[in-house]
Structures are given as structure tokens and as C-alpha cells.
């Protein structure tokens, strides 16, 4: 089992400068503490900097102000201890399912046998056994997304980032995969950060929901979700939380408020 | 979920069995049979018209001998003359030119694709050489290397080189940025990135150019042999024209066409094999 990571984000700000245009404040003073083994979901309007924040955490972009630490160590570049699942599954079309997952273990330092075992276990974890030799175009959208989750987890990262992994799926497949993600999170015990537009998905899965607003991208509200798992989407407490989050998104979206300062 | 997984399962089972050679062969044969039958209709009609033109003397037999005369000429060239030798001479030139030209193109194309410096170094020179047709090089090269095979190999290799070089370069440059980003997330080394991501991503573009270049090489060998040298199908064609041996001329033309067809088909199959991961890929 992976050791769950403790992620600390302190005062992170990020600006994009495009030639001939004013600086864009994409993230402004973001603070977030993610407990080891927690499931934190980030919701917010399009363009508020959710993906940007994930890019900083995964290490694809180190041009920012503030600190991002995993287990009290400042993150530098990309590392196998941090995994990510992109919105487009991003499986390489010329590799079979098992080769795609195996690609994340190229530099794990494990033996051949350990790698094979990890690949097999993670294919089973996402219920894709039997499809080891299938190419991505032979998988449905939901299967491809599950394969991407398996790839993200195979190297046993301390933290897994999920950037709208279910955004492109139909409602039924989504709900099915939400159950799967929940199960995988419990089995693997890994810290997870999920970005989504779906408030129900956020409440269903997380310990903590973070609401962001745009211009500049910032956190406007953080809610702890204490409902017992598995959660009932129709329960009054669930619905009440949903209303609260939607209100936070609706009222604070777009304009800077006193709470953000 | 259940109905989607059913259809996908069928596809995956098929994919899993594709590796078995027997199955692969079976699908290959099945794939060829249908187009082959329909594809034979037009050649048959042409043959009938050709025979009719000869029988009813629509065209002077000196200019268009009957199919049977051409068959006899073919047999005579094969047994009494050295048609097989000329045929092999042409094949040899094309084969060598294609291998040297595409190998050099792949090597330099990959180098230039991976490094702007390399591209800038070769760019202006290559763009100038590229615009001088291979055939325009032949007279000079023949002065240097003589009328034998090497001059022709060099000139045709040049013509093979450029399409493959340019497509390799473009193929590498067009690799999706997302995939490069993924490689970074997976902490792939530069060499792993090239081998596992960049080259496979460029492969469709490379394969298209190889297929095109193979056809081009075959077309050019006929021209090159016609312009210089004393052997090969191209030489036979131009000699036949000079001696008004229309039957022999037609024999050569038919052979050239059939070989070109065979080259293209085999390149297509190679392409399909290499790119079997591409969805619904038909060439
Ligand atoms: N490479 C870049 N250069 C300049 N601006 C950028 C760049 N990438 C993102 N941005 C800007 O940063 C802002 C935040 O983008 P980001 O992709 O993080 O949003 P998001 O919250 O993930 O939105 P969505 O929900 O639509 O995915 C956007 O306004 C976008 O225009
Ligand atoms: Mg995004």
C-alpha cells in the first residue's frame, strides 16, 4: 500500500504573462492543507485556475510564488510519488493497456517481476482484467478513464491528482466510476485531489470540498464533509450541503469578495 | 455499463487474437479477396478492347500489337534474351536506392526533428538541393560515377530521401504536446521519450512517406535507365522504341506497371502492420 502524502499549499500565487497583454492573476494566495489519506475535491467556475493549481502540484510548472510541500519537502519537478489523471485519458494510442500502465513504471527501479505484478494488480483494481492487450481505441471512454486511473496509481504515488477525470462521460458511467473511485481510494489509502464541475460528485467522494472563484483564482470556501460512506445522494444532509456549495459557487463566482481577502 | 462492455469485449477479444499468426493471415486473405475480384473487371475490359482493336485492325499492329503477340514477345525476351537479368538490374537499383535513401532520411530526419540546431544546419542546403530534380542530377553524376548502377542508385536515393526526411521531421514536430507532458509526469528520460512517445507518434507520417517514396523510386528507375546505361527495363523500353519493337515495349510497360502495383501493395500491408494500433486505419 502506498504511503499517503501530506500536501501543504501556502500562499501560492501564479501569473501568466502573454506578450502585449496585461498580467493575468490565475491564482492568488491559495492556501490548502491536505491531510494524509484525505480526499479533497476542488470545484469552481471554468477558468478559475483549478487545472493550473494541479499543474503546479504535479510539477509541470514551477514558475509561481509561495510554497507547495509534500510531506514537508518542497516539490521539485515531476516525480513518481505524485500521479495525475488528466481529463483526456491521455493513453498512448500505440501502446496496449498493459504497456500504457507499464510506462509509468519505467523508472520505478523495480524488478521486471515487481512491475508485471503492479501492472496486473492495477488492471484488476480498475476492473479491466482481460483487456491487457487491447489498444486504447478498443476501449470505451469509461474504460479508458479507468485505465488512466490505473496508470496514475501503478507506481504507488503518495498523492493522486484527478483533473475532471469523469467530465467527458455520460451520467450513468459517471456514477458507476464514482463508486469505483471511492472503492479505489479506500483500498489504496492514497491521498487524492479531484477537480470537478459536478458538485454532487464532490460531496459523494470527499472529506473536504474546496470552492474556488475566478479573477483572480482563489479559494472562497472550504467545507468538511462528515457524512458516513457510502453516501446517499438523496439524503437531506447531502442535499443541504449541495445547496450550500452551489450558493458559494454562485454568489462568489466572478467578483472578489470580502471573504477572499 | 453492461451493454457497452459487451461490445467492447468483442472488440478486445478480436484484438487479443490478432497476435496469432493463423488468425492474422486469415483476416489478411479475407481482406484482399473482395477488392481483387472487382479490381479485375476493368483490366479484363481493357484486354478485350485491346484484342478487338488488333483483330478488327482499328490500330496498325506496328503501333499496337495484339495481346498474344505481346505474350509471345514476353516469352522470347525471357528465354532468348535476358529479360530476367534486366528486370533484376532494375529491382536491384530500386532496392538499394530505397534502402540507402530512406535510411539516411530517417536518421537525419529524426536528428533534425529532435534538434532545431540540426534542422537549421541542414535547412537551407537541403531546401536548395531538393528543388533540383533527381533526373537533373543524373548527367553530372554519370560523369563522376559512369553509366553503371551507382550513379542511378545515388540519384534515386536522393529522390527517396527528401519526402521521407521531410515527413519524418514534420511527424516528430507534430507530436502532441500533451504526450510530451505525460512523459514528463511519468519521469521518462529523453531516450525513453524518443523511443516510446516521439517515434511511434511520428510513425504514421513516416510510413506514408515511405510508401510514396517506394513508388517514386520505381517510376524514376525507368527514366534513369532510359537516360543512361545499357541494361534494365528502362533501357529496354527506349531501345524498343528506337527499333520500333512495339511488342517488347508493351511487355516492359506491363511489367513496370505490375511491379509498381506489387511495391505499393506490399508497402500498404507493411504500413497497416506497423500502424495496427490506429483506429479504423485504411491507409
Ligand atoms: N499557458 C497559459 N498561458 C496563459 N494563460 C493561461 C495558460 N494556461 C491557462 N491560462 C489561463 O489561466 C486561467 C486558468 O486556467 P485553468 O486551465 O487553470 O482553468 P480551470 O479552472 O482548470 O478551468 P476549466 O474548469 O475550464 O478546466 C484561464 O483564464 C486561462 O486563460
Ligand atoms: Mg481545467
Amino acid at each position: 500500500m502506498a504511503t499517503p502524502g501530506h500536501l501543504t499549499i501556502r500562499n501560492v500565487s501564479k501569473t501568466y504573462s502573454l506578450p502585449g497583454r496585461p498580467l493575468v492573476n490565475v491564482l492568488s494566495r491559495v492556501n490548502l492543507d491536505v491531510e494524509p489519506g484525505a480526499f479533497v475535491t476542488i470545484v469552481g467556475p471554468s477558468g478559475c485556475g483549478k487545472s493550473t493549481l494541479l499543474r503546479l502540484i504535479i510539477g509541470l510548472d514551477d514558475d509561481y510564488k509561495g510554497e507547495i510541500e509534500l510531506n514537508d519537502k518542497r516539490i521539485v519537478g515531476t516525480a513518481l510519488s505524485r500521479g495525475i489523471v488528466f481529463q483526456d485519458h491521455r493513453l498512448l494510442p500505440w501502446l496496449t493497456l498493459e504497456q500504457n500502465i507499464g510506462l509509468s513504471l519505467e523508472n520505478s527501479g523495480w524488478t521486471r517481476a515487481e512491475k508485471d505484478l503492479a501492472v496486473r494488480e492495477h488492471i484488476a483494481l480498475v476492473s479491466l482484467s482481460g483487456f491487457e492487450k487491447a489498444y486504447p481505441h478498443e476501449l470505451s471512454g469509461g474504460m479508458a478513464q479507468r485505465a488512466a486511473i490505473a496508470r496514475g496509481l501503478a507506481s504507488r504515488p503518495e498523492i493522486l491528482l484527478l483533473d475532471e477525470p469523469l467530465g467527458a462521460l455520460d451520467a450513468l458511467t459517471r456514477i458507476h466510476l464514482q463508486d469505483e473511485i471511492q472503492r479505489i481510494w479506500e483500498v489504496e489509502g492514497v491521498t487524492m485531489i479531484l477537480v470537478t464541475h459536478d458538485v454532487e460528485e464532490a460531496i459523494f467522494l470527499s472529506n473536504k470540498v474546496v470552492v474556488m472563484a475566478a479573477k483572480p483564482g482563489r479559494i472562497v470556501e472550504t467545507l468538511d464533509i462528515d457524512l458516513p460512506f457510502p453516501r446517499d445522494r438523496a439524503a437531506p444532509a447531502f442535499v443541504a450541503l449541495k445547496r450550500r456549495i452551489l450558493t458559494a459557487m454562485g454568489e462568489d463566482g466572478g467578483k472578489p469578495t470580502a471573504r477572499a481577502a | 455499463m453492461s451493454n457497452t462492455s459487451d461490445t467492447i469485449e468483442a472488440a478486445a477479444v478480436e484484438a487479443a487474437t490478432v497476435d496469432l499468426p493463423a488468425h492474422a493471415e486469415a483476416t489478411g486473405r479475407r481482406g484482399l479477396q473482395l477488392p481483387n475480384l472487382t479490381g479485375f473487371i476493368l483490366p479484363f475490359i481493357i484486354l478485350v478492347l485491346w484484342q478487338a482493336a488488333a483483330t478488327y485492325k482499328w490500330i496498325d499492329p506496328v503501333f499496337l500489337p495484339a495481346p498474344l503477340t505481346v505474350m509471345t514477345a514476353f516469352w522470347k525476351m525471357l528465354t532468348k534474351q535476358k529479360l530476367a537479368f534486366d528486370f533484376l538490374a532494375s529491382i536491384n537499383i530500386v532496392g538499394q536506392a530505397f534502402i540507402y535513401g530512406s535510411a539516411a532520411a530517417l536518421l537525419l530526419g529524426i536528428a533534425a526533428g529532435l534538434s532545431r540546431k540540426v534542422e537549421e544546419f541542414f535547412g537551407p542546403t537541403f531546401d536548395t538541393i531538393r528543388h533540383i530534380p533527381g533526373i537533373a542530377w543524373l548527367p553530372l553524376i554519370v560523369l563522376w560515377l559512369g553509366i553503371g548502377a551507382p550513379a542511378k542508385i545515388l540519384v534515386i536515393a536522393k529522390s527517396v530521401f527528401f519526402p521521407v526526411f521531410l515527413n519524418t521531421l514534420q511527424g516528430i514536430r507534430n507530436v502532441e504536446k500533451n504526450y510530451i507532458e505525460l512523459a514528463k509526469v511519468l519521469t521518462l528520460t529523453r531516450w525513453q521519450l524518443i523511443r516510446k512517445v516521439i517515434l511511434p507518434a511520428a510513425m504514421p507520417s513516416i510510413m506514408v512517406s515511405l510508401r510514396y517514396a517506394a513508388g517514386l523510386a520505381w517510376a524514376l528507375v525507368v527514366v534513369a535507365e532510359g537516360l543512361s546505361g545499357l541494361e534494365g527495363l528502362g533501357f529496354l523500353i527506349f531501345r524498343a522504341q528506337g527499333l520500333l519493337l512495339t511488342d517488347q515495349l508493351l511487355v516492359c510497360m506491363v511489367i513496370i506497371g505490375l511491379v509498381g502495383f506489387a511495391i505499393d501493395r506490399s508497402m500498404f500491408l507493411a504500413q497497416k502492420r506497423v500502424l495496427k494500433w490506429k483506429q479504423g486505419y485504411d491507409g
Side-chain angles (χ1 to χ4, degrees):
Chain A
M1 196 173 266
T3 1
H6 181 191
L7 183 80
T8 329
I9 299 174
R10 265 194 305 268
N11 265 323
V12 164
S13 299
K14 160 91 190 159
T15 52
Y16 275 119
S17 56
L18 292 175
R21 275 202 265 159
L23 283 185
V24 196
N25 272 324
V26 180
L27 293 173
S28 161
R29 304 188 142 267
V30 171
N31 285 285
L32 184 62
D33 193 73
V34 181
E35 300 284 324
F39 196 116
V40 171
T41 300
I42 304 174
V43 293
S46 188
C48 71
K50 306 181 294 293
S51 299
T52 306
L53 185 59
L54 292 196
R55 284 177 62 85
L56 301 185
I57 301 172
I58 199 70
L60 281 170
D61 189 344
D62 56 8
D63 178 23
Y64 60 90
K65 286 204 212 69
E67 280 113 52
I68 303 178
E69 290 175 353
L70 186 64
N71 297 330
D72 300 320
K73 279 206 303 275
R74 200 189 158 99
I75 59 132
V76 189
T78 57
L80 289 181
S81 58
R82 279 168 278 134
I84 190 165
V85 179
F86 298 100
Q87 172 160 8
D88 55 320
H89 53 73
R90 232 172 267 197
L91 298 172
L92 297 178
W94 46 87
L95 298 183
T96 60
L97 172 60
E98 60 181 4
Q99 289 169 334
N100 262 297
I101 297 175
L103 196 64
S104 68
L105 303 175
E106 284 281 320
N107 301 318
S108 59
W110 300 353
T111 64
R112 178 86 264 149
E114 285 171 329
K115 288 183 193 170
D116 288 349
L117 181 68
V119 169
R120 224 171 326 121
E121 279 180 357
H122 283 89
I123 289 178
L125 179 74
V126 297
S127 324
L128 283 178
S129 301
F131 293 94
E132 288 82 358
K133 305 263 186 282
Y135 285 99
H137 79 259
E138 294 161 332
L139 304 175
S140 70
M143 295 165 92
Q145 247 355 309
R146 283 190 279 165
I149 293 173
R151 179 179 59 193
L153 285 170
S155 60
R156 308 207 178 271
E158 294 162 10
I159 187 166
L160 183 68
L161 314 178
L162 303 117
D163 193 353
E164 298 188 47
L166 313 183
L169 304 177
D170 63 276
L172 265 176
T173 314
R174 261 179 103 109
I175 289 185
H176 178 76
L177 277 191
Q178 286 165 9
D179 289 335
E180 295 248 316
I181 290 179
Q182 168 117 74
R183 179 179 59 81
I184 290 166
W185 173 60
E186 279 172 351
V187 173
E188 294 278 299
V190 59
T191 310
M192 290 195 183
I193 299 184
L194 171 80
V195 164
T196 181
H197 278 119
D198 182 342
V199 175
E200 228 171 69
E201 180 172 299
I203 305 170
F204 184 76
L205 291 169
S206 0
N207 307 116
K208 198 196 271 191
V209 174
V210 175
V211 182
M212 287 183 70
K215 286 176 194 152
R218 64 203 187 278
I219 295 178
V220 288
E221 180 139 15
T222 307
L223 286 105
D224 290 312
I225 314 283
D226 293 324
L227 307 177
F229 293 109
R231 288 169 179 166
D232 174 6
R233 291 181 176 82
F238 194 107
V239 177
L241 275 167
K242 185 174 169 185
R243 190 165 305 133
R244 238 184 103 187
I245 294 171
L246 284 173
T247 312
M249 287 172 75
E251 287 183 351
D252 297 329
K255 54 181 196 301
T257 58
R259 216 182 315 184
Chain B
M1 191 62 229
S2 67
N3 56 353
T4 39
S5 70
D6 279 349
T7 51
I8 299 304
E9 217 146 277
V13 166
E14 198 164 279
T17 42
V18 155
D19 280 342
L20 299 174
H23 182 86
E25 250 174 36
T27 43
R29 236 180 283 131
R30 215 190 309 135
L32 279 179
Q33 240 162 38
L34 257 180
N36 266 8
L37 279 181
T38 20
F40 275 124
I41 297 173
L42 191 55
F44 182 75
I45 293 175
I46 293 173
L47 203 64
V48 167
L49 283 177
W50 180 5
Q51 181 63 57
T55 315
Y56 301 109
K57 302 253 175 337
W58 295 341
I59 299 169
D60 189 333
V62 174
F63 297 118
L64 187 70
L68 199 66
T69 323
V70 174
M71 278 306 291
T72 325
F74 169 69
W75 187 245
K76 193 181 128 207
M77 289 168 82
L78 197 62
T79 50
K80 303 255 165 57
Q81 298 169 3
K82 44 195 191 59
L83 178 64
F85 171 83
D86 284 298
F87 174 76
L88 289 177
S90 298
I91 292 283
N92 171 44
I93 290 176
V94 170
Q96 288 198 51
F98 180 73
I99 289 170
Y100 301 151
S102 51
L106 286 173
L107 223 71
L108 289 180
I110 290 170
L114 294 176
S115 151
R116 300 248 170 220
K117 285 249 153 52
V118 175
E119 190 197 358
E120 281 160 15
F121 177 77
F122 286 117
T125 319
F126 279 8
D127 279 341
T128 310
I129 294 179
R130 184 160 63 92
H131 286 104
I132 310 170
I135 294 308
W137 283 93
L138 191 62
L140 181 67
I141 307 285
V142 164
L143 286 181
W144 293 348
L145 299 181
I147 57 168
K152 282 166 240 165
I153 291 173
L154 187 64
V155 163
I156 295 170
K158 180 256 159 202
S159 299
V160 167
F161 178 88
F162 281 101
V164 179
F165 173 80
L166 291 174
N167 268 44
T168 307
L169 175 64
Q170 266 321 305
I172 289 178
R173 286 292 156 80
N174 289 345
V175 177
E176 270 184 58
K177 238 185 90 214
N178 280 350
Y179 291 151
I180 310 281
E181 216 173 79
L182 173 75
K184 233 167 151 186
V185 166
L186 301 181
T187 67
L188 299 190
T189 61
R190 185 157 172 79
W191 172 236
Q192 288 167 335
L193 169 72
I194 293 169
R195 210 162 44 95
K196 302 271 181 170
V197 179
I198 294 182
L199 289 185
M203 206 41 89
S205 158
I206 292 175
M207 289 310 292
V208 165
S209 71
L210 285 177
R211 184 178 170 193
Y212 167 78
L216 183 68
W218 181 243
L220 283 179
V221 77
V222 177
V223 181
E225 284 170 345
L227 289 177
S228 86
L230 297 167
E231 60 188 42
L233 291 174
F235 168 72
L236 290 189
I237 279 211
F238 284 89
R239 192 195 62 158
Q241 186 212 16
L243 302 176
L244 217 63
L245 298 170
T246 352
D247 49 352
Q248 294 206 4
L249 203 156
L250 280 167
V251 168
C252 293
M253 283 174 64
V254 170
I255 294 177
I256 289 165
L258 289 177
V259 171
F261 176 76
I263 289 178
D264 192 63
R265 267 307 147 105
S266 37
M267 289 306 289
F268 173 69
L269 290 179
Q271 191 179 12
K272 221 167 131 165
R273 210 184 152 71
V274 173
L275 302 181
K276 66 167 190 255
W277 51 268
K278 274 202 103 177
Q279 179 170 26
Y281 186 74
D282 292 317

